[in-house]
Amino acid sequence: MTELAHESTDYSVVEREPPEVLQRNLYVAARLWASSTAFFFFAFLFAYFYLRSLDNHGLWRPKHVDPSQTLGVLTTLAVVVTAVLLRWALVNRRADNRRAWRQKGAVSIALIVLAIVLQIVEWSTQGFGPTDGAYASVYVGWTGMEALFLVGLLYWLETTLATSLRYRKVYPAKFAAGEAAGDSHREAPDIRDPLSLVPATLEAVSFYALFLGGIFIVSWIVLYLL
C-alpha cells in the first residue's frame, strides 16, 4: 500500500489509456447497475404481494389511501418519454449529429426534473403517509426510491451533456495533463481523448434510462391499477 501512495508512483502505467477500455467498462457497468436495480425493486414487488395476501386486520389498503392516478400517469409518462428521447439521442450521436443529441439531452433533463417534481407534488397532496397501512408503506418506499434513482440518472445525464458542451467548439479537444482524472501530478492525460467517451457514456445512460422506464411502468401497473 505504501508503494502505491508514494510520490514517485509510475504514472505511465495508467496514462494514455485507450478509450476503448473505458468504453467496454461503461457498457458492462450499465448492465450490472441495471441488474442490481432490478433486484432492489424486486424487494418492493415481493413486499406488495406478500403484505397484500396477508391483509392483517383488513388494513392492507384503507379507503383514504388512494394516490392520484393523474399524477402517477404523468410521472411515468415523463420517465418513459425520457428513455425514448435518449435512445433517439444515441442514434443522433452515432450519426455524428452532436447538435441534435444535445437538444434531446437537454429536453430529457427537463423531463427528469419534471418527473421528480410531480412525485413530490403527489406526496404532498395524497393525504396519507407510510404508517397508513401496508400498501401506503410500500407505496411511499417504492416511489421514494424511484425518485432517488431518478436523481442519480439526472446527474449522470447532466455530466455527460456538460462534457459534450464544454468542448463543443474545440474538436478534436485538447486536454491538460490529468484533466480528466483531476490529478495535477500526472505528466500526460490519463486517457488519449476523454471526449471520445461521450458516445459510450450516452449509450450507457440511455440503456439505463430505458430500463428505469420499464421499472416505472411496472410500478404504475402494480401501485395504481392492481
Side-chain angles (χ1 to χ4, degrees):
M1 293 298 291
T2 304
E3 293 181 358
L4 292 176
H6 198 272
E7 291 183 0
S8 61
T9 298
D10 183 10
Y11 281 97
S12 63
V13 299
V14 292
E15 290 172 351
R16 310 294 290 176
E17 183 178 71
E20 293 78 16
V21 174
L22 190 50
Q23 288 171 1
R24 290 195 296 270
N25 292 345
L26 286 169
Y27 179 89
V28 174
R31 283 145 183 82
L32 288 175
W33 182 229
S35 300
S36 62
T37 302
F39 279 101
F40 185 89
F41 282 103
F42 180 78
F44 289 103
L45 189 66
F46 173 80
Y48 176 93
F49 287 105
Y50 177 71
L51 294 174
R52 183 182 182 182
S53 65
L54 292 179
D55 194 16
N56 290 329
H57 306 293
L59 295 177
W60 156 248
R61 186 173 180 177
K63 292 183 178 180
H64 72 285
V65 178
D66 188 25
S68 171
Q69 289 279 354
T70 301
L71 290 175
V73 169
L74 290 176
T75 302
T76 303
L77 188 61
V79 177
V80 171
V81 172
T82 295
V84 174
L85 267 181
L86 286 179
R87 296 307 287 185
W88 192 2
L90 179 61
V91 173
N92 292 148
R93 184 60 186 83
R94 286 172 174 170
D96 204 29
N97 190 341
R98 292 177 174 81
R99 182 185 180 90
W101 100 253
R102 289 169 185 151
Q103 291 174 341
K104 293 179 178 65
V107 174
S108 297
I109 288 175
L111 285 172
I112 295 174
V113 172
L114 175 62
I116 295 172
V117 170
L118 287 172
Q119 186 59 70
I120 293 174
V121 170
E122 185 167 5
W123 289 333
S124 64
T125 59
Q126 64 193 6
F128 65 87
T131 60
D132 294 315
Y135 170 86
S137 179
V138 172
Y139 170 84
V140 173
W142 192 332
T143 56
M145 289 300 101
E146 283 182 332
L148 184 61
F149 276 88
L150 280 180
V151 171
L153 179 64
L154 177 65
Y155 174 79
W156 192 1
L157 176 58
E158 187 278 331
T159 53
T160 304
L161 181 61
T163 300
S164 180
L165 288 172
R166 181 180 182 183
Y167 300 104
R168 68 187 184 280
K169 294 181 180 180
V170 183
Y171 190 81
K174 298 182 182 300
F175 301 90
E179 180 174 343
D183 188 347
S184 59
H185 296 288
R186 292 186 176 179
E187 298 178 356
D190 51 325
I191 56 177
R192 292 174 185 168
D193 181 8
L195 196 58
S196 67
L197 298 176
V198 170
T201 306
L202 180 59
E203 194 281 334
V205 72
S206 64
F207 170 82
Y208 187 74
L210 195 64
F211 175 83
L212 202 58
I215 293 290
F216 269 77
I217 292 174
V218 171
S219 67
W220 175 71
I221 292 173
V222 173
L223 295 175
Y224 293 88
L225 299 184
L226 297 184

